[in-house]
Amino acid sequence: MKNSEEMKSLLDRMAVGHLAMTTKDGPYVVPVNYHFAEGFIYLHSGPKGRKIEALRRDPRVCFLVDEAGPQVRWDSGCGISQIYESVMCFGRAEFVEGLEEKRRILEMMIRKFLPPDSPFPLADGNVAGTTVIRIQMEWMTGKVNRISPIHTVIPTRLHRPH
């Protein structure tokens, strides 16, 4: 990807990312729902578990989002390529404190996934019991292989149309 706006666009439109961190036993990656807003990546979680322990021990993270397209034929390399866009963000995770700030972030996250007029309950007990994580990005990089007229889409068992 050529610029940060393209990378931010991918972060904005995807629903699931992969959070990589370091545990006492080594690397650990988990898929998570997230919301990209205000220049941060926001996640939510239960209050306990391997992810939470790892982030408390070492807040350094890598966050990956990708959007896979079809496989294509072309006249280069092995003759087959994958169409995709991806962004990797590097930064530090911090735990959001305070009921109202957690509520504000959770409401943003929920609004990303629900139709605009959908009501949703967000009881104080649920907010208090949810761990909210804010990733401060230090840098990001993106990679893309877009479809072009030189490509021929290959119908494969792995590609599922959206």
Side-chain angles (χ1 to χ4, degrees), residues 60-71:
R60 295 174 301 161
V61 297
C62 179
F63 188 79
L64 168 72
V65 294
D66 64 320
E67 183 173 42
Q71 291 192 330

Side-chain angles (χ1 to χ4, degrees), residues 107 110-111 113-122:
E107 285 177 357
I110 291 166
R111 288 284 172 219
F113 298 103
L114 291 180
D117 296 333
S118 296
F120 59 90
L122 204 50

